[in-house]
Every structure is written in C-alpha cells, then in structure tokens.
Amino acid sequence: MKMHSARQAAAVSLATLLVACGGGGSGPAPAPEDGRATALAVSRPGELATYVQERLRQREAAGGTVGAGGDVLAAPTASAAPPPRSGTTLQEAGVDEPDLLQSDGQHFYALDGTQGQPVLRIYARGGDGRALPVKSLPLAIDEAVSTSADGLVLDPSARALAAVSQRWHRSDEGGVICTDICPATASGLVPMWLRSSVAVQRVDVSDPGAASAGEHISIDGQLVASRRIGDTLLLVSSWTPRLPIDALPYTASAAERAQVIARTSAADVLPRMRRNGGAATTLLRDTDCWTQPGNGSTQVQVTTITLFDLRAPTLAPRSRCFVGGTEALYMSPDSLYLATTRWTYPSASAALVYPPEVKTDIHKFVLSAGELVYRASGEVPGHLGWNPALKSYRFSEWNGDLRLVTYTGSMGWATVANAGSTPPSPARLTVLRERASDQTLQPVATLPNTQRPEALGKPGEQVYAVRFIGPRGYVVTFRTVDPLYVLDLSDPADPRVTGALEVPGVSDQLFPLADGLLLGVGRDFTDTGRLGGLKVALFDTRNAAQPRQIDSVTLGSAGSASALDQSPHGLNWLTVEGVARIALPVSLASPSGSFSSTWQRGLARFEVDLAARSLRTQPTLGAGGDAGHGYVGGDRSLQVGAMVYHLRGGTLTGYDW
C-alpha cells in the first residue's frame, strides 16, 4: 500500500488526460447563439440514456472509440477570550477549503499520509503552547492500491470533521492502466486496471481524546475540488464510465456495436456510491442530472456535485450531475461556478496543448434550502492555464458579477521552445452577469477592448498569478521579468488597467495583507532568464497608477521549493498588533543548485510591519537536512497566539514565534 501526493496520483491517468480533458470533442463546437449553446437542461426520464446513445453513434460514425477509461482530473470560542489564531489560507472568506492541518484553537487535527495509510493525528495545545499528541486514528482505505489525501474540514461547532481523499482500486472491469503505483515484484512492475473513487470519512471529535471514525462514503470518479459552507461539505467529482461498447472486441460488427449502443442505459453511465466499503449502490437517477444540448462532444463524462451534511452521522449525501467534464471549481459565499469545455486537449512533447480557438464554459449554481439549483451558463475565450491548483484563482464574484482571467495561448513553456510557433498571447479579462430570462451568463465587458486596447502581458509571456480583491484585480505575466498589472474593476462595464510594475523574477501567487499591501511568492530569475531561488516580495499598490516593490528576499538557489508549489494552503499568516507574521515551509538548495548539493528543510518566516510597510526575514525554524530534493507539498503551518506550529512529515511541532 502506498500513499501518494495528488500530483503523483494524477499521473496514473496522464495518458488518458492528454487525449480528452474536460469532456471535449474532436474539434471546435458550433458558435453559441447568445450563450444558449452552453446552457444545461434538466434530464427527463429516459433522456440521459438517449443523450449518451446519440453521442456514441456520433463517435462510431467518426471512426471508433475515443479511448477507454480515465477521468479528468468559524470556530467555537471558549469561556475566556481565545488567543488570536490563523487558519487555512482561503480564496474567499466564509468558504472553507480542505487542508492537511486544521484547528479550533485548542486542538490540532493533522492528516498524515506518510506511512502508507491516511492517519488522523490529534494534538492538544498545552499550557506552554506545545503540541501534545492525544490520539492517532487510522482512516479507512477499503483495499485501495493507492490513496491520496486531499485534506480535512471541521464543522463550525468543531464536533465533527471530514477527511477527503482520492483512491485507486484494482478493477477487473477495465478502467485506467496504473503507472507509478503498479505493484512491484522481483521481476518488475505488474500493470493492472484501476478504478478511481473519491472518499469522504466522517470523524466524531466532540471528545478529541476519544475521537472515533464514523461513516465513510466513496463515489466513482476523480476529485475536482471540495468546499465547506456552514455544515455542508460540497464535493465535485468527474467520472468517465467504461461503457458496454468499450468492452466489445475490435472484431465486433457494426450491427453488434449498434445493438450495444441501443441498450446503453443511464445505469451504465452514472457513477455509483459505496458506503463503508460495501457493495456499489445507486447514487443518482437520470432525472437528477442535466445535459448540455449544445455540446457536440462524443466524449462521455459525468460531473457529480454531492452535498454532505457534516452534522449527520450518515453524512446524508445528496447528489446532482451533468454530462460533461469539469476542470475547475470556484465558490463564493453566494454561488458555485464550474468550468469545463467542449474542446479536445491533445498532447505534444508530453505537455498539454490547447486548440488555438479553445473556449471555456462556465456553469453557475446556488445553494437554496440545502439543495443545489442551476442558474445559468456562459462561455469565454481561452483557458485557465496549466496549474490545476491555481485555476480557481482566475475567478472572482463581486456584487453578483463574475470576473475571470483566461489565457488564449495554446502551449506552455515545455512546447513553445520546440514548436517553432508564434509565442502565446497575453491574458483576457471577462466580466459576466447572469441573465435569468434565458439562464445565460452574458459578457458585460472584456479587457483589452477597442476603447482600452492595452494588452495584459507582452507577446511571449504567460499568465502566472491572478488575484481579485473587491473592486481591484491583479495579474502577473512572465517570461523573463514579472509585470504586475493593477486593474480597476469598480465599474464592471468599464474595467481598465491603472498601473503596471516590472521587476525581476515572477510571483506565482499573491496574498492581500492590508491597505494595498500584497505579498508575492514565486521564483527569482536573472535578466537573461536564468532560474534562481524562492522569491518573496512585498508590493505597495495604494497608488494604483504607480505600484511599487517595497522589498524582496531570495531564499536558496535554483531547485529550491516551498509548500506553495503543491497547494495554495502552503503559506500561513496571522496579524498580531499591526504585524503580519508569515510562515512558509521550504526546502532550500545550496548555492550550487545541483542535486548533489546539500538541502535544508524547515519553516521560513517573515514579518510585515503594516504601518511601516516593511518586510523583514526571521530565522528559519526546525532547519535540517532534506533528502527529498525539494518536495514539501505535505508540510503546513498554523499560528495560535505567540506560537507557530509546523506540520512536517506527519509530525506537528510547536515553536515560540
């Protein structure tokens, strides 16, 4: 049994992902009329099967199968005033995101996957601030070949938590051929078919010392993302069924194939659920789903949105679905948006390549009385980039409008150098507004436009960090320097660039501190484009027309890594008496930057004086040799009062800040 990171688990189905990601077809879909081609329609009895059968017939007419299997990838208060504490770094206040480390201020809950099986480790906060081990609780794996932990969410009362994970199971019915997680023998790896599922495990922590693992539910498919609103955990998964026609031998006649298609039912298409490792049962009916009549794709994927009640011992799952894949989830306190496409993502040079005219479909939902309600759909030119962990940051809802940044270049750096083609084009901002009369998301404005033609980025640059904060937007593009663009979005009908700043290096992620201060974390680069170490920079954007870099610091050399490389939750900060205390797990390479060099792994720390608008570095905590050559994706940090806690290798250690 092996526990893998989300990045490693995703490699299992890489070959299939590169064939068709997000439910795309074999070419551009017809241009929509006023956005209605993107709209979803409720599936009446029998319509889901008919919808799928028609796509299979189109697939047959086009020359056969697309490819079998594969999926796209407020806490309680004590009687005394509690000390200030930080938590998971969130994109939107009020929308919790699963993380490997959670706390209610008195106890810490860490999800440890370093020993081959997910284990919930519970710690109490001692009188001196130390993290005292209380209990270790193994979580269910249901004979999975591999399990990848996504994270934990605490319910608002801190009496229950849920652990979310991705699993891979051996299958005799086809699916995905394993790669790096194939079982090994003395003669080498043994390939096998694998089935994917997403699992949610409830744990009663009303008495942390006697915490008990409760019901666990798994759903066919692969995890897109999950969020918590109040007592509800919302989980989105994507499922590519292995249909009866996929099991036919290649010698089957056209008549035999037609007969199998005609017998294809909703039960063959819809994902199933397993409770506590038991037999598969029905999760959805065909009338629980939507179809997209304007989607001409022959790829059959199902996106499932499941709501779990964290208060209920049974988790009380309630699911809806639509036919089509999903590549990103963004959620505000008011709305849920899912991004998909009707285009194929073929591969070249082992890197993802988008068609030149790719567009992204956006579907909007809301939660009403505990149920999921579909509201509208629309489309925008371009795609959301190559980093799955950062795709949600391209979105932001403000005053009911959706703002998002897409990118119209088809290739990443891995293919640009070899393709000999025109460099990718810069970014595009679109503002969308719901039109209830026809359930569409209508464009209110775009940028650049004829009145404001200035490009977001220069030719040859790509989009890196995007962050929206109320009426402001920030976009970082990069090739050899880091242009930071400041956007004024106060008038949704007339967005504009107010200022830009060029500095060496690149910010992969931006964090708003206070009063126009932004913290950027990324990589340092020389003027000639030579990679350096980790770069942490402090920007002042109070004057939107003249943003400036106040200070920056570079840690380590080329090859250095931080926990932010794997998750936006890698960085943690807490503001105490006007000072933002920032903690970031790192693995730093020595100046030579080679793999024969020494590496130091620990918790890097910084302080930003919000009044003086200054950045200063504090000594790294827990520094020690690192044989992992840079992987710190499972490391986290959290602050309570004067203490900072570092989760490293599944073990939580407390330090005085």
Side-chain angles (χ1 to χ4, degrees):
M1 184 67 59
K2 298 173 69 177
M3 171 71 78
H4 288 261
S5 69
R7 179 176 62 177
Q8 291 170 311
V12 174
S13 58
L14 178 61
T16 307
L17 286 173
L18 295 177
V19 173
C21 181
S26 58
E33 180 184 351
D34 296 331
R36 283 188 289 273
T38 61
L40 303 180
V42 174
S43 174
R44 294 189 291 266
E47 284 190 346
L48 180 65
T50 301
Y51 181 91
V52 170
Q53 290 169 10
E54 179 58 30
R55 273 140 186 81
L56 293 178
R57 293 186 183 101
Q58 293 173 9
R59 193 174 79 178
E60 290 293 297
T65 61
V66 174
D71 306 289
V72 180
L73 295 175
T77 56
S79 55
R85 64 182 177 89
S86 65
T88 297
T89 303
L90 304 177
Q91 181 179 1
E92 295 284 358
V95 183
D96 195 18
E97 304 174 19
D99 199 4
L100 299 177
L101 179 63
Q102 298 281 8
S103 175
D104 63 2
Q106 300 300 320
H107 290 86
F108 305 95
Y109 304 94
L111 189 55
D112 176 18
T114 61
Q115 304 302 314
Q117 178 178 2
V119 176
L120 175 65
R121 301 198 186 280
I122 302 175
Y123 300 81
R125 182 170 174 267
D128 58 359
R130 289 185 303 158
L132 306 175
V134 170
K135 188 179 180 84
S136 293
L137 187 66
L139 302 181
I141 56 175
D142 296 338
E143 299 182 346
V145 174
S146 176
T147 302
S148 175
D150 182 61
L152 305 167
V153 291
L154 268 171
D155 84 335
S157 69
R159 298 180 62 83
L161 60 79
V164 180
S165 62
Q166 177 74 60
R167 297 173 176 174
W168 295 93
H169 307 262
R170 185 165 187 165
S171 172
D172 296 326
E173 302 176 354
V176 177
I177 289 289
C178 63
T179 54
D180 63 327
I181 62 173
C182 292
T185 66
S187 58
L189 298 178
V190 180
M192 64 171 61
W193 288 106
L194 296 179
R195 170 182 59 82
S196 61
S197 69
V198 183
V200 176
Q201 168 87 69
R202 187 181 188 273
V203 180
D204 185 336
V205 291
S206 54
D207 179 359
S212 58
E215 299 272 298
H216 67 274
I217 293 173
S218 64
I219 296 172
D220 290 337
Q222 288 186 252
L223 178 67
V224 175
S226 60
R227 298 289 187 268
R228 179 186 65 80
I229 293 282
D231 294 305
T232 300
L233 171 66
L234 183 146
L235 184 145
V236 176
S237 55
S238 183
W239 168 241
T240 302
R242 189 168 188 265
L243 299 170
I245 193 171
D246 298 323
L248 288 178
Y250 73 93
T251 56
S253 67
E256 290 172 323
R257 301 181 72 84
Q259 290 174 359
V260 169
I261 289 175
R263 292 196 299 267
T264 300
S265 66
D268 296 321
V269 176
L270 296 174
R272 297 173 296 175
M273 176 185 77
R274 292 169 175 82
R275 185 181 290 274
N276 299 325
T281 60
T282 299
L283 175 69
L284 294 150
R285 300 165 299 176
D286 57 352
T287 51
D288 293 325
C289 297
W290 295 278
T291 60
Q292 189 181 22
N295 189 345
S297 168
T298 60
Q299 177 76 2
V300 178
Q301 285 183 289
V302 178
T303 292
T304 303
I305 309 164
T306 303
L307 308 179
F308 297 93
D309 186 347
L310 299 179
R311 298 166 300 180
T314 64
L315 290 170
R318 307 179 307 283
S319 297
R320 300 295 299 273
C321 76
F322 67 85
V323 181
T326 292
E327 59 179 285
L329 174 157
Y330 162 72
M331 193 167 190
S332 73
D334 301 314
S335 308
L336 165 70
Y337 295 90
L338 299 180
T340 183
T341 185
R342 288 165 283 151
W343 277 256
T344 296
Y345 300 175
S347 63
S349 303
L352 191 61
V353 178
Y354 291 89
E357 302 301 324
V358 68
K359 296 183 180 181
T360 298
D361 291 346
I362 310 296
H363 305 297
K364 178 182 180 180
F365 305 84
V366 297
L367 289 177
S368 177
E371 298 296 331
L372 190 72
V373 178
Y374 168 67
R375 294 294 293 268
S377 296
E379 69 172 20
V380 294
H383 58 85
L384 302 175
W386 289 267
N387 187 339
L390 298 181
K391 288 185 177 184
S392 69
Y393 283 81
R394 304 291 179 97
F395 294 80
S396 170
E397 186 182 65
W398 188 63
N399 290 342
D401 292 330
L402 178 67
R403 299 91 55 88
L404 71 157
V405 171
T406 51
Y407 181 66
T408 54
S410 60
M411 293 176 289
W413 297 128
T415 53
V416 167
N418 299 323
S421 60
T422 303
S425 58
R428 178 186 178 98
L429 170 79
T430 305
V431 181
L432 295 171
R433 181 173 297 166
E434 179 184 344
R435 190 167 71 186
S437 61
D438 60 358
Q439 293 188 300
T440 61
L441 296 173
Q442 291 292 319
V444 175
T446 60
L447 194 68
N449 55 53
T450 53
Q451 285 73 38
R452 302 189 184 279
E454 179 184 356
L456 293 174
K458 301 174 182 178
E461 292 179 343
Q462 293 189 10
V463 178
Y464 274 69
V466 177
R467 194 69 191 244
F468 295 94
I469 306 164
R472 283 268 190 98
Y474 302 93
V475 178
V476 170
T477 62
F478 173 77
R479 189 167 182 95
T480 58
V481 295
D482 178 349
L484 169 66
Y485 294 88
V486 181
L487 310 181
D488 181 353
L489 308 174
S490 56
D491 181 355
D494 185 24
R496 58 194 180 94
V497 176
T498 58
L501 171 68
E502 292 190 5
V503 292
V506 60
S507 295
D508 295 314
Q509 298 185 51
L510 297 170
F511 300 90
L513 297 180
D515 194 20
L517 288 175
L518 279 180
L519 188 78
V521 182
R523 295 293 190 275
D524 199 12
F525 282 81
T526 67
D527 293 340
T528 60
R530 185 179 179 84
L531 176 67
L534 298 176
K535 179 182 178 181
V536 177
L538 182 65
F539 300 102
D540 186 342
T541 67
R542 280 184 302 183
N543 184 345
Q546 295 182 324
R548 64 188 183 95
Q549 179 177 283
I550 295 175
D551 200 359
S552 68
V553 61
T554 299
L555 304 177
S557 61
S560 297
S562 79
L564 278 175
D565 295 337
Q566 305 297 322
S567 169
H569 304 142
L571 180 140
N572 171 271
W573 86 83
L574 177 67
T575 299
V576 178
E577 297 181 349
V579 175
R581 305 188 318 205
I582 298 155
L584 177 65
V586 296
S587 180
L588 303 178
S590 63
S592 68
S594 68
F595 281 96
S596 61
S597 307
T598 58
W599 296 65
Q600 290 291 312
R601 181 175 175 181
L603 188 65
R605 296 180 301 145
F606 311 90
E607 291 184 348
V608 176
D609 188 313
L610 302 178
R613 309 181 80 78
S614 62
L615 171 69
R616 57 179 177 264
T617 305
Q618 298 296 322
T620 299
L621 296 175
D626 181 15
H629 294 302
Y631 182 73
V632 287
D635 291 7
R636 293 291 187 272
S637 63
L638 191 148
Q639 300 179 56
V640 179
M643 300 291 291
V644 59
Y645 300 87
H646 183 199
L647 178 64
R648 172 180 172 174
T651 299
L652 187 68
T653 305
Y655 301 93
D656 191 296
W657 181 268

